[in-house]
Amino acid sequence: MIRNRNRVCGVEEIKAKRRQHERALRKARKEKQLVSKRLPRGLQGDGEDVEIRETSVTQEEIFQLYQRIQRGSDDRLAALCSLRRVLHLKEAQQIFVRFENSIRVLNGLFTSNLASVQLQAAQCLLKLSHSDDPSVSLVCLPATPYLLTYLSGQSAKFTELCLYILGNLAAENEAVRSQLLVQGVIQALSVCLQVSHLMELWWRLRLICCHKCCRRRKQERRSSFLEASLTPRLIRLLDLDSEFGMQTTVECAWCLHYIVSSGVSSECMISQGLISQAVKLLIALGRTVDSGTTDGVELLIYPVARCLGNLIASDEQLWCKRQFHDSDLLQALSVFLRGFLQSRPFVTRECLWLLNNLSAGDRQFCSAILCHNLVPVFLQLIPFSGGINTLVLMLLGNVAELGLEYCEKLQQQTGLFPALCSTLSTADPEAARMTLEVLNLIFSYCQQACARFANQNGILALEMVQYHSNDEVRVRANFLMDRYFADQDV
Amino acid sequence: MRSDEAAGRPAEQAHWAAAGALGCCRWWEETGVSPSRPDPVRPGLVVLEPAVACAEGGGDGAARESELGPSPFTFRSRRIFLQKEDEFFEDGDVHRHLYLQNSITSVGEVERPKVSEFCCQIAGCSQLFDALENYEHHYNTFHRNVCSSCKRSFPSSHLLDIHILEWHDSFFQILAAKQNMYLCLVESCTEKFKAFSDRKKHMIKVHGYPSDFRFDKPKKPKCNQKNQSSHDIEMETSSCQKEANDTSCRTSTESMDYAPAETMEADSPSMSEEKSSIPKVQQRPSFSYKVPTTICFGHGSVRGFKNARKKK
């Protein structure tokens, strides 16, 4: 379908469609409805039969097919094939599900002992489940116990279909997910995991995790199963060199992100090696980006960064006992900061958040920041709004908070005070306020900094904010001025 | 720094240390957060005890701090835990779903990061700038040298000083009667003059200034606030140019010290307080009452100052 669109529309139209799509997604996210249904790659285009791509169908035709299916015998398979081919059409879907007993029949065929019939029925169910219309997709619900059972089957292709159907159903709503949980989906998936590694599996898992973890806090003992069997597996697969490809790793990362951000006891995760695995992965990705490949790499970077960020924030004691060298991780993160600023600034922003969590109150990490000359990299990011400048200022604050030696080194950086002066004057009051906080920390520890600041035209910038419309900014600016520059002639 | 101050006031040392510690405790109470307890507002958010407690409190001695009041600074380094639905993650989530739904084409769509803007913070002036240099220029030109009495702004402190001297100094008129008090506006020129008009002549003759130099207005005896605020208006250099171009008569030596006051007053009610592009005040110096009435200049003959027409 993408191909058809490309043929007809120009580049501008594609961009416009994309923007529209993006707006719809943002809206969906705000309503907490952001889920995607999927079809297996092979079925997204024209499916197996290239030549027949129906564009419309009548009720009569579908009814005929339905009758042929019901009657059984040899004709049934052909009828099923034809049905499958038309079921991508909305009208066809709606017509079919409204026939009496049609779903029961379909489910019956789905559980038939004839493999070919089963496969075709499964494909029909898949098309139905993929529909955006709940009245169509939810008709597949009665099939779920079977779907789950078949997950541990032997046929890879069939299992794949089942997974996609389950995934699409899980994307529907909370009630469906609850039902699946009750029916033992996690266990079934777990078994599947050990047997085969399919990308859609992860995706499916992600949806489940997403849901399950929300409810985790209410259910005390459910966690044990997940932690005991599933998470170690997921963690092990968080590997760039995994034989199952990057897609799988991406899905893995998302699952882990959901699990971590649900507030599950992180001790278990850390002891299972999640931190070291995540760090190793980021370092490897850093090397990849550094060597020039950026296409699509960010898809893996930010879920891992989120995972790590939240993990550190939830349990800092275990973080302190880490075993790796900060410098490698810092190197990778600085590569990301620079590499994605102009193309995917949200990656830069999320990495800055991770850096904040890594450096907050951590002398070792802040020393590494100074030693490896990362402050100029941060300063280059300061002109950018959208959360980037406030995070950079927080990082500088984290370093400055640690005391005299840190402030001394910080204020020696050329470009620091000019950069701070520019953020002081931005329209964003939060950035201005944070700048004043950072300046306060630096001045309070390091006497020379005041003189240096004054020499670099800092006083002018400070004066300009003494009349700031925002109270908090004004109060702080006046305080700084009175305390450190009272003797300066205005 | 701290030790120096403390050493200088040994009697206060103990007091300072105590005050510092006390200040620290007070902080925790104020913010309502104690170390190692999860934040009630954001479960999962753990606020770290900062590596150095109360950097501000222990900064300078307590004596100074009490003068300035308690420090308003509240920054603490902290690790931030974000829920998966947090707004912060929105862009990333949308990106992922665009990819899943195949909307990310190879058209090379990139997002550019937003660059922060600068906004003039002075009350009443809300201009936006996209670069710091522009903002600094604006600020220096319009908000630096401002007369606190009449709110006019001047491009340099020299002009401001002269303005204050001539307009707001009550002694000035007294002294001016006895000696040459009118300073030349050019900073490097040390000439002084007896009267405003003498100085003006000097400026035109010796320094080549235009007769309608906008920063050389005589003080108006009956001027009211409205007219004076004309200088507050964002001045474009182009309007200055326009005046220069409009002036057909360069020979006017007197700038009608007092007479224009009448026209000004007649016009002033209709003049808007700010943002009128070419205020009528600016027009007056263009015309001299020495020009014979039979001579007609363009733009509809304006004969002298009585009918100062709106040039726009």
Side-chain angles (χ1 to χ4, degrees):
Chain A
M1 281 204 267
I2 300 280
R3 263 167 269 154
N4 289 342
R5 256 186 259 145
N6 280 350
R7 203 182 34 177
V8 178
C9 313
V11 167
E12 278 312 311
E13 289 179 46
I14 296 180
K15 283 190 184 173
K17 277 200 167 71
R18 182 184 182 275
R19 275 196 289 274
Q20 202 181 23
H21 191 182
E22 188 179 324
R23 270 198 297 274
L25 287 175
R26 283 188 197 273
K27 181 162 177 293
R29 187 182 189 273
K30 282 191 172 49
E31 294 162 7
K32 303 213 178 14
Q33 298 285 343
L34 189 58
V35 279
S36 292
K37 293 197 174 181
R38 293 204 220 174
L39 285 174
R41 296 275 157 182
L43 287 181
Q44 270 163 3
D46 321 84
E48 294 152 4
D49 310 296
V50 175
E51 66 287 85
I52 304 169
R53 190 93 179 129
E54 313 285 350
T55 45
S56 74
V57 74
T58 66
Q59 175 146 352
E60 187 57 35
E61 286 171 338
I62 301 210
F63 189 62
Q64 298 232 340
L65 287 175
Y66 181 41
Q67 283 186 318
R68 284 163 62 193
I69 290 170
Q70 277 179 311
R71 247 176 271 138
S73 75
D74 321 309
D75 195 33
R76 174 181 273 177
L77 189 57
L80 259 181
C81 286
S82 309
L83 182 63
R84 175 178 58 77
R85 271 185 240 125
V86 299
L87 268 184
H88 67 278
L89 294 167
K90 263 206 182 92
E91 321 84 81
Q93 291 169 354
Q94 286 177 349
I95 296 171
F96 182 73
V97 305
R98 278 173 187 98
F99 288 146
E100 202 180 317
N101 270 339
S102 54
I103 286 307
R104 275 217 0 232
V105 171
L106 194 56
N107 281 341
L109 293 173
F110 180 58
T111 50
S112 138
N113 48 16
L114 290 171
S116 46
V117 169
Q118 221 181 10
L119 213 52
Q120 294 295 327
Q123 301 218 355
C124 291
L125 280 175
L126 177 60
K127 300 256 172 91
L128 289 174
S129 71
H130 192 252
S131 160
D132 290 328
D133 181 356
S135 68
V136 171
S137 55
L138 288 177
V139 298
C140 306
L141 272 182
T144 51
Y146 298 108
L147 289 165
L148 290 173
T149 316
Y150 289 140
L151 282 187
S152 46
Q154 297 299 323
S155 156
K157 190 155 168 64
F158 191 61
T159 315
E160 184 182 352
L161 281 173
C162 293
L163 281 169
Y164 271 98
I165 299 171
L166 281 169
N168 286 337
L169 286 176
E172 263 318 313
N173 61 46
E174 199 72 10
V176 173
R177 291 195 281 269
S178 303
Q179 183 182 323
L180 288 171
L181 275 173
V182 164
Q183 289 172 341
V185 65
I186 300 278
Q187 230 136 348
L189 286 175
S190 221
V191 168
C192 203
L193 265 174
Q194 279 146 40
V195 172
S196 56
H197 310 279
L198 306 162
M199 175 188 51
E200 52 285 355
L201 173 72
W202 307 119
W203 164 61
R204 176 78 178 74
L205 196 57
R206 178 181 63 78
L207 281 170
I208 296 291
C209 287
C210 185
H211 161 76
K212 184 173 169 59
C213 297
C214 300
R215 303 180 41 169
R216 172 157 318 240
R217 276 175 236 147
K218 301 172 197 164
Q219 285 147 30
E220 344 72 47
R221 284 290 86 185
R222 283 267 201 122
S223 51
S224 52
F225 176 76
L226 200 66
E227 281 159 22
S229 65
L230 210 49
T231 359
R233 193 102 190 87
L234 289 173
I235 294 174
R236 265 199 299 281
L237 281 157
L238 205 62
D239 183 355
L240 201 54
D241 298 323
S242 153
E243 57 194 292
F244 309 109
M246 191 155 113
Q247 306 280 21
T248 312
T249 322
V250 171
E251 300 294 335
C252 236
W254 280 99
C255 287
L256 287 166
H257 162 52
Y258 286 129
I259 295 177
V260 170
S261 58
S262 72
V264 177
S265 112
S266 44
E267 243 177 75
C268 191
M269 303 253 212
I270 295 177
S271 64
Q272 286 168 1
L274 178 52
I275 289 195
S276 54
Q277 195 77 333
V279 171
K280 228 170 66 179
L281 183 52
L282 285 175
I283 294 174
L285 286 170
R287 277 196 285 268
T288 313
V289 174
D290 213 10
S291 66
T293 342
T294 45
D295 236 6
V297 180
E298 80 275 6
L299 288 168
L300 185 50
I301 292 174
Y302 65 93
V304 178
R306 290 183 188 188
C307 217
L308 196 55
N310 272 340
L311 204 52
I312 298 169
S314 49
D315 198 337
E316 78 268 14
Q317 277 149 359
L318 288 177
W319 166 250
C320 291
K321 301 200 201 100
R322 64 187 179 276
Q323 304 271 331
F324 59 87
H325 291 292
D326 295 331
S327 50
D328 295 326
L329 179 59
L330 263 177
Q331 172 73 8
L333 289 172
S334 78
V335 166
F336 300 149
L337 289 180
R338 278 172 299 171
F340 291 101
L341 177 64
Q342 293 296 338
S343 55
R344 308 269 175 233
F346 67 86
V347 176
T348 302
R349 193 171 53 233
E350 296 193 18
C351 289
L352 282 171
W353 162 68
L354 173 59
L355 275 167
N356 172 70
N357 283 2
L358 288 167
S359 62
D362 191 320
R363 301 192 98 93
Q364 192 184 328
F365 206 84
C366 290
S367 303
I369 288 179
L370 289 169
C371 286
H372 290 87
N373 217 14
L374 253 79
V375 177
V377 176
F378 297 159
L379 294 180
Q380 273 167 15
L381 299 174
I382 261 190
F384 300 101
S385 61
I388 292 182
N389 51 9
T390 33
L391 280 167
V392 170
L393 291 166
M394 279 175 75
L395 283 177
L396 293 173
N398 290 349
V399 175
E401 196 189 50
L402 292 172
L404 179 57
E405 316 89 64
Y406 294 86
C407 285
E408 260 174 8
K409 292 216 189 76
L410 205 53
Q411 57 98 24
Q412 278 163 12
Q413 299 272 350
T414 49
L416 175 76
F417 287 131
L420 291 179
C421 290
S422 72
T423 39
L424 211 47
S425 323
T426 55
D428 175 14
E430 184 56 31
R433 190 185 66 83
M434 268 308 303
T435 313
L436 291 165
E437 298 273 358
V438 174
L439 285 173
N440 174 63
L441 284 169
I442 298 179
F443 293 156
S444 68
Y445 283 116
C446 183
Q447 187 76 13
Q448 322 154 254
C450 300
R452 193 181 271 256
F453 181 72
N455 285 342
Q456 297 183 11
N457 287 326
I459 309 237
L460 166 65
L462 201 50
E463 272 170 17
M464 290 202 284
V465 273
Q466 279 187 292
Y467 301 99
H468 202 280
S469 49
N470 181 290
D471 276 339
E472 304 209 345
V473 174
R474 211 170 38 237
V475 161
R476 286 165 172 76
N478 286 328
F479 192 90
L480 282 183
M481 202 60 151
D482 293 337
R483 182 181 239 181
Y484 299 108
F485 303 107
D487 50 345
Q488 299 270 353
D489 201 34
V490 173
Chain B
M1 173 174 70
R2 268 173 284 172
S3 51
D4 284 346
E5 293 229 23
R9 283 171 279 183
E12 286 174 308
Q13 212 169 0
H15 172 61
W16 164 73
L22 193 60
C24 185
C25 293
R26 234 179 301 155
W27 245 313
W28 285 129
E29 286 159 38
E30 271 171 351
T31 56
V33 179
S34 61
S36 75
R37 185 159 50 88
D39 187 62
V41 175
R42 282 180 97 169
L45 171 65
V46 176
V47 178
L48 283 190
E49 181 150 3
V52 180
C54 49
E56 295 79 61
D60 276 332
R64 250 183 105 188
E65 181 166 310
S66 58
E67 284 163 22
L68 299 168
S71 165
F73 293 99
T74 52
F75 174 77
R76 291 284 179 276
S77 65
R78 58 191 182 117
R79 300 193 168 118
I80 303 171
F81 186 94
L82 293 172
Q83 302 292 337
K84 64 180 178 322
E85 310 93 17
D86 199 296
E87 215 179 8
F88 188 78
F89 289 148
E90 180 179 324
D91 285 351
D93 285 350
V94 168
H95 180 79
R96 168 162 162 82
H97 283 271
L98 280 173
Y99 173 79
L100 289 181
Q101 298 177 18
N102 283 323
S103 259
I104 298 192
T105 64
S106 57
V107 185
E109 281 252 12
V110 295
E111 306 157 40
R112 296 255 171 247
K114 287 178 286 188
V115 178
S116 48
E117 288 179 320
F118 304 94
C119 166
C120 186
Q121 296 294 338
I122 305 295
C125 172
S126 50
Q127 287 203 355
L128 274 174
F129 307 90
D130 60 359
L132 184 63
E133 300 78 43
N134 301 343
Y135 177 35
E136 279 182 0
H137 172 76
H138 161 85
Y139 186 90
N140 278 326
T141 317
F142 298 121
H143 301 301
R144 285 287 278 165
N145 302 299
V146 176
C147 171
S148 46
S149 321
C150 62
K151 307 285 181 273
R152 291 174 114 112
S153 72
F154 294 86
S156 73
S157 48
H158 177 71
L159 287 172
L160 174 64
D161 291 339
I162 292 180
H163 161 84
I164 294 176
L165 189 67
E166 294 177 12
W167 285 51
H168 304 295
D169 187 340
S170 29
F171 276 123
F172 183 78
Q173 297 296 335
I174 301 167
L175 288 171
K178 300 186 201 143
Q179 48 183 286
N180 292 351
M181 288 293 291
Y182 285 88
L183 283 162
C184 176
L185 295 186
V186 176
E187 240 174 303
S188 50
C189 177
T190 50
E191 300 265 344
K192 295 197 191 165
F193 302 88
K194 199 165 176 352
F196 177 86
S197 45
D198 296 328
R199 177 181 64 199
K200 187 152 180 145
K201 276 190 204 126
H202 165 84
M203 303 266 301
I204 295 171
K205 208 161 139 220
V206 176
H207 298 294
Y209 271 51
S211 59
D212 59 350
F213 186 59
R214 70 199 307 152
F215 299 115
D216 181 22
K217 302 291 173 213
K219 181 166 180 181
K220 308 294 178 282
K222 288 193 246 173
C223 44
N224 53 19
Q225 204 59 18
K226 266 198 185 161
N227 297 319
Q228 289 165 349
S229 68
S230 62
H231 281 276
D232 269 346
I233 296 154
E234 309 307 337
M235 297 182 270
E236 320 293 336
T237 47
S238 56
S239 63
C240 221
Q241 297 270 329
K242 197 168 189 301
E243 283 172 8
N245 293 337
D246 283 342
T247 298
S248 328
C249 168
R250 288 248 176 208
T251 59
S252 71
T253 50
E254 302 280 310
S255 69
M256 303 157 293
D257 293 33
Y258 299 101
E262 288 146 22
T263 25
M264 226 167 58
E265 279 186 294
D267 289 335
S268 61
S270 56
M271 194 163 93
S272 61
E273 184 128 5
E274 41 188 275
K275 310 268 190 251
S276 65
S277 21
I278 302 248
K280 291 192 261 306
V281 170
Q282 311 289 341
Q283 304 302 314
R284 283 172 288 106
S286 311
F287 312 105
S288 161
Y289 58 66
K290 287 197 172 150
V291 175
T293 51
T294 49
I295 296 200
C296 171
F297 299 113
H299 302 289
S301 50
V302 189
R303 317 248 165 133
F305 48 85
K306 282 227 162 73
N307 302 321
R309 194 185 70 95
K310 291 191 263 293
K311 255 314 167 80
K312 275 244 150 127

